[in-house]
Amino acid sequence: MRKILIGSLLMSMPLAGCGNSPEGPMKPGIYAYEAPDGSTHRMVFQESTYADMADNVPKPVEEGTWQRRDAQLCMTSAASGAELCFDEKAEADGGFSLSANGVTTRFSLLANAR
């Protein structure tokens, strides 16, 4: 079973359109989330890149770039080139959630970017 974010969390969600929107609830930092298979991950968002770090795995299980288009967070896998876009929603604790196709995943803020 693949534990990567793009593979396990996002591939079941639809792609979205294009356009530009620079602001959204996700801010660069380190976030925790639980994948659909129950594994726990840390997602590191930097200025324009991301790395999905599965717990107890020394290297990223997925990496790529992110940007905002049409008020959505779009992530492009460095390995496959697949781009997937999601609706973002701010959470009260500084985290955010990503939703598409009736599936929502919540990201809890662990550390702000410096």
Side-chain angles (χ1 to χ4, degrees):
M1 182 178 291
R2 292 176 54 179
K3 292 184 180 180
I4 61 174
L5 175 68
I6 295 277
S8 64
L9 173 62
L10 308 179
M11 290 306 275
S12 64
M13 299 180 182
L15 299 177
C18 296
N20 285 327
S21 176
E23 297 298 319
M26 187 283 293
K27 305 294 183 219
I30 302 171
Y31 297 85
Y33 80 94
E34 184 175 319
D37 67 3
S39 62
T40 56
H41 293 243
R42 287 164 284 116
M43 183 70 83
V44 179
F45 286 97
Q46 295 180 353
E47 187 72 24
S48 63
T49 62
Y50 70 89
D52 182 359
M53 307 295 292
D55 286 353
N56 301 313
V57 177
K59 294 182 187 180
V61 294
E62 176 62 30
E63 297 178 285
T65 59
W66 68 269
Q67 59 185 319
R68 290 203 169 85
R69 284 198 218 125
D70 293 337
Q72 291 187 315
L73 180 72
C74 298
M75 298 167 58
T76 303
S77 168
S80 70
E83 180 181 73
L84 301 170
C85 297
F86 306 92
D87 294 324
E88 291 179 86
K89 179 182 173 195
E91 298 291 337
D93 63 359
F96 66 98
S97 60
L98 295 179
S99 301
N101 198 27
V103 176
T104 299
T105 300
R106 188 172 182 287
F107 293 76
S108 300
L109 181 65
L110 297 176
N112 289 314
R114 294 182 188 175

